[in-house]
Amino acid sequence: MRAIWKGAISFGLVSIPVKVVSAIGSEHAVRFHQMHQSDQGRVRYRKVCELDGEELAQSDIVRGYTAADGRVAVVTDDDLSELPLPTARTIEVHGFLAADDVDPLRLGKPYYLSPDTSGAKPYVLMREALRRSDKAAVAKLAMRGHEILALVRVQDDVLVLHQLYWPDEVNSTEGVAPTERVRVTDAELDMADTLIDALGSADLEEFHDEYQAAVEELVTAKLEGAEPSAEPEAAEERGGKVIDLMAALRQSVEAAQGSRQAPRSERTPKPSAKDANAKKTVSKRAAAKTASSRSSGAKKSTSTSGGSAKKTAAAKSTAKSTAKSTSKSAGKSTSRGGAAKSADTSSGRKTAKSAAKTSARGPAKETG
């Protein structure tokens, strides 16, 4: 990796030659260019002097500072490199603290510190001293045109330098938190705790950039002259809506538990095979009895077609009574099936048998 700064760590009277290299590789981004819509020509930016309109090369450009009264001071790279600062080429350690004592809000971009020529032994010495004391070093250095506050800590076998924001660079939290009085109940807090437990711990290695993948898919489809394969799902609008907080928490817990457990189809209680078969048997018997009654009634009607109207009416009455009895018998048989499922004792069986006998006597009385 290319060094972006070279110098030394000043660890008391110990000097550790180091190189600073970036700890972050290329960040996720799909690079777009600005183009002319009509002919897709690239839009370029040219550096032009506003006084004479001359286009300038990079070598023609210098660094300058304009004062409030209009005066201009030109500052070169050599001027900056010769500043009488101890941090110009030195990472000057000023003290130590526990790494956990640093507010994460203050942490900026990280860099790796690599030992330079003849710096291996003092580098390892400082690394092991920090590891043994479980401390991090607070230091200052001048890099890329300004002095930065830094935190030096151990990561694996490497010294890592984190840029720290200066105290006056971090905005105050005043006015950020809700200003109205809000009451959160213990029940809501308990449900929030349950949701935290249900979501579980996060593994940062499992996350990936879905937006970049979607943009790359879109670009690939357009290059091939095709449209994206699927319509994007409309995002649910949540802002400004008054919601039932407890209901939302409860639904979130259920969704989180469902996503972390085995498929619900394997865990949801299903009706037993015995219950299903019992219901099917009752339905079949009722249908069979109804069909038998209709068939019997039809036969009687055919055999007595030459008889008197009185016999025909009697046959119809018998058919209706039989159908009613069959319907009641089917209903009682279904109740008997439910009773048999819920009761395993001998008294339950006797009740079911008694209900069956009563059902059998019922149609006989009505028919007679």
Side-chain angles (χ1 to χ4, degrees):
M1 290 181 282
R2 184 178 64 87
I4 60 177
W5 188 92
K6 284 188 177 184
I9 300 176
S10 176
F11 181 32
L13 296 178
V14 178
S15 180
I16 309 170
V18 294
K19 298 180 292 185
V20 175
V21 298
S22 179
I24 306 298
S26 58
E27 298 183 14
H28 290 182
V30 178
R31 306 295 179 185
F32 293 109
H33 302 294
Q34 289 187 326
M35 294 182 174
H36 188 192
Q37 184 175 7
S38 61
D39 58 12
Q40 297 183 352
R42 286 283 297 276
V43 176
R44 303 286 184 177
Y45 290 94
R46 294 183 174 88
K47 296 180 179 180
V48 179
C49 176
E50 66 178 9
L51 297 179
D52 57 16
E54 180 184 355
E55 185 176 343
L56 305 177
Q58 186 61 39
S59 58
D60 299 326
I61 301 173
V62 295
R63 186 186 292 106
Y65 177 84
T66 303
D69 58 4
R71 291 179 299 166
V72 177
V74 176
V75 180
T76 66
D77 292 338
D78 292 337
D79 293 334
L80 294 175
S81 63
E82 294 173 1
L83 287 174
L85 289 175
T87 58
R89 287 295 171 190
T90 305
I91 301 174
E92 187 177 5
V93 175
H94 288 270
F96 301 86
L97 48 71
D100 294 340
D101 292 341
V102 179
D103 185 352
L105 198 62
R106 300 279 300 274
L107 292 175
K109 189 173 182 179
Y111 300 90
Y112 291 144
L113 299 179
S114 175
D116 207 350
T117 306
S118 71
K121 186 168 183 177
Y123 182 96
V124 173
L125 172 65
M126 183 176 186
R127 183 191 69 194
E128 295 306 313
L130 291 177
R131 193 198 305 275
R132 185 173 179 177
S133 63
D134 199 20
K135 300 276 188 182
V138 177
K140 292 199 305 180
L141 73 152
M143 184 174 67
R144 291 184 168 177
H146 61 283
E147 188 175 56
I148 66 173
L149 187 64
L151 183 76
V152 179
R153 65 177 184 85
V154 179
Q155 175 72 36
D156 298 331
D157 289 332
V158 175
L159 291 176
V160 179
L161 182 146
H162 283 275
Q163 178 182 345
L164 293 176
Y165 293 107
W166 296 97
D168 58 351
E169 290 181 326
V170 180
N171 292 330
S172 170
T173 59
E174 184 179 356
V176 179
T179 55
E180 65 271 17
R181 294 178 62 85
V182 177
R183 180 177 176 272
V184 178
T185 65
D186 290 339
E188 290 169 338
L189 285 174
D190 292 341
M191 187 61 69
D193 291 339
T194 304
L195 177 57
I196 292 173
D197 293 338
L199 290 174
S201 59
D203 183 359
L204 295 180
E205 300 300 324
E206 295 180 353
F207 293 88
H208 61 279
D209 190 343
E210 297 180 4
Y211 180 81
Q212 182 192 20
V215 172
E216 289 176 349
E217 182 180 353
L218 171 66
V219 171
T220 301
K222 286 185 172 292
L223 290 175
E224 296 176 353
E227 291 298 323
S229 58
E231 290 290 334
E233 295 182 0
E236 182 181 356
E237 295 183 4
R238 298 173 182 265
K241 290 186 177 181
V242 178
I243 61 173
D244 184 340
L245 189 56
M246 280 297 290
L249 287 169
R250 190 175 295 107
Q251 292 175 5
S252 301
V253 170
E254 293 174 355
Q257 291 174 341
S259 63
R260 293 177 60 86
Q261 295 176 358
R264 287 290 182 182
S265 58
E266 297 179 4
R267 296 179 177 270
T268 303
K270 296 181 179 180
S272 64
K274 181 179 179 181
D275 297 338
N277 292 335
K279 289 182 179 180
K280 290 181 180 179
T281 302
V282 170
S283 300
K284 288 181 179 180
R285 287 177 179 174
K289 288 182 179 180
T290 303
S292 176
S293 300
R294 288 178 180 173
S295 177
S296 176
K299 288 180 180 179
K300 289 180 179 179
S301 177
T302 302
S303 61
T304 58
S305 58
S308 62
K310 184 176 180 180
K311 291 183 178 181
T312 303
K316 289 182 179 181
S317 176
T318 302
K320 288 181 180 181
S321 299
T322 305
K324 290 180 180 180
S325 302
T326 303
S327 176
K328 290 184 178 182
S329 177
K332 293 179 179 180
S333 298
T334 304
S335 300
R336 183 183 61 187
K341 174 188 172 184
S342 59
D344 294 331
T345 61
S346 59
S347 60
R349 297 193 193 96
K350 291 179 180 179
T351 303
K353 290 180 180 180
S354 176
K357 291 179 180 180
T358 304
S359 175
R361 295 193 192 101
K365 290 181 178 180
E366 291 178 5
T367 303

